[in-house]
Amino acid sequence: MKMRMPLCALLLLAMSAAAAGETLEISDAWIREAPPGARVHAGYLQITNHGSEDAELTGVSGDDFGAVEIHRTVIEDGMASMHIVPRLTIPSGGGVALEPGRYHLMLFRPSRELGAGATSRLLLLFSNDSCRAVTATVRRDSGDAHP
Amino acid sequence: MQSRYSFIRSRLLPGIVIAALAIGAGIWAARLLLDQAVPPDPLAATRFPAARAVQPFSLVDHTGKTFDNAALTGHWSFVFFGYTHCPDVCPTTMAVLNSVSQRLQDTGERVRFVMVTVDPERDTPEKLGKFVTYFNGDFLGVTGSTEALEQLTGQMGIMFMRVNEAENPAGYLVDHTASVFLFDPDGRYHAVFSPPLTADNIASDFRMMARTY
């Protein structure tokens, strides 16, 4: 997964907007401002697949992070645990929401202070080797919008 | 002679449109009425038929004060068990609790919000204090030795478990209960809110429980 991410950046440079990746719509990307002392940010976004085939998110990297992983919070019998998700399927004609308490990005080793209002670029690599860049805004979680 | 299709166009279609509009208006009106008439949802929280006494425990809050049974009396306490290295569930829950505290300001009830760490090794009182007060200046962080923590968690059936993931760049994670616990002003274990947690549900449940306390 990590080895493929430089490829993602290269693909991004080489690709035009008309490339295969455009059937995937990425929206509402945001990064939770880390509380003091926390060294890991959580990132959230929505991926909608307008294409006729399922897509798989296979890797994520970020300009401001040493490593990024896709995780899923699982709450079973009241216990919360985190699971690494190596490949996240985005069903054709559907979508996947990465949102608090469910799927999320773990953004490790931030290289700079990311306070509310800052923006940060994330690169998403999909199984068909399409690569998408998205700008995520850092914000403070109000606690009002959760399901 | 009028063809069947033009009949459909001239007579039937407007009739169908009017009927559809009427049905739509009816549904809309019924919804409006129902929204007003339907009583509030039953409690999302699990409230015990009889509040449970809490056996003695002794921990310390982030300001250095003892946090024991007495610290749970004289006010309601919402207690969450989490840790500062937890990037998703804990900040999410703390943000929800902050939203709850805003919503309960007009109740006149004394309410305290507490996060008890399940990671005493890394969560020093200082770190906890910075973490909890980031969400709300009045929030309290509580820690203690693992044994002291288990005096409280054990009797409440709360589990936490360190998960060693060698490849995890953030170090170890802790699996922990995701529920929020409510203690009444007599320091008794009164109710539990299980996920999914929303500020709306917690606040409205609390109002109902406080009214009948």
Side-chain angles (χ1 to χ4, degrees), chain A residues 62-106:
Chain A
D63 291 351
D64 299 309
F65 301 96
V68 181
E69 286 176 357
I70 308 162
H71 280 211
R72 182 171 164 227
T73 296
V74 177
I75 298 174
E76 219 168 30
D77 298 330
M79 285 281 281
S81 57
M82 296 230 284
H83 298 249
I84 292 179
V85 180
R87 302 169 81 84
L88 179 60
T89 303
I90 323 294
S92 132
V96 172
L98 282 78
E99 56 191 10
R102 299 201 172 96
Y103 287 111
H104 56 278
L105 301 175
M106 292 278 283

Side-chain angles (χ1 to χ4, degrees), chain A:
Chain A
M1 179 160 107
K2 276 174 197 146
M3 293 302 289
R4 294 175 69 85
M5 290 316 297
L7 172 73
C8 187
L10 279 176
L11 275 169
L12 202 67
L13 287 173
M15 272 192 326
S16 72
E22 77 170 2
T23 54
L24 294 169
E25 183 190 334
I26 297 153
S27 55
D28 301 329
W30 66 284
I31 293 171
R32 183 198 299 280
E33 185 184 47
R39 284 170 304 171
V40 183
H41 290 263
Y44 307 99
L45 46 85
Q46 314 266 338
I47 310 173
T48 310
N49 183 357
H50 298 292
S52 55
E53 284 173 24
D54 290 356
E56 277 188 325
L57 178 63
T58 55
V60 181
S61 69
D63 291 351
D64 299 309
F65 301 96
V68 181
E69 286 176 357
I70 308 162
H71 280 211
R72 182 171 164 227
T73 296
V74 177
I75 298 174
E76 219 168 30
D77 298 330
M79 285 281 281
S81 57
M82 296 230 284
H83 298 249
I84 292 179
V85 180
R87 302 169 81 84
L88 179 60
T89 303
I90 323 294
S92 132
V96 172
L98 282 78
E99 56 191 10
R102 299 201 172 96
Y103 287 111
H104 56 278
L105 301 175
M106 292 278 283
L107 308 164
F108 298 107
R109 301 197 301 274
S111 54
R112 63 184 175 104
E113 188 83 13
L114 288 167
T119 56
S120 180
R121 191 177 75 147
L122 302 175
L123 297 176
L124 280 65
L125 180 68
F126 293 91
S127 51
N128 61 356
D129 278 347
S130 73
C131 177
R132 298 291 300 273
V134 62
T135 301
T137 306
V138 181
R139 52 177 220 240
R140 226 185 144 110
D141 185 348
S142 70
D144 291 330
H146 304 302

Side-chain angles (χ1 to χ4, degrees), chain B residues 78-127:
Chain B
F78 284 94
V79 179
F80 173 65
F81 293 81
Y83 64 114
T84 67
H85 281 65
C86 152
D88 182 45
V89 175
C90 305
T92 301
T93 306
M94 295 301 280
V96 167
L97 290 179
N98 175 48
S99 183
V100 171
S101 83
Q102 318 281 335
R103 281 157 211 246
L104 295 183
Q105 271 172 2
D106 63 353
T107 58
E109 297 285 345
R110 293 188 64 206
V111 185
R112 187 176 272 180
F113 295 83
V114 179
M115 184 177 98
V116 178
T117 185
V118 291
D119 185 13
E121 195 174 305
R122 290 183 298 191
D123 286 344
T124 59
E126 193 202 350
K127 277 187 189 165

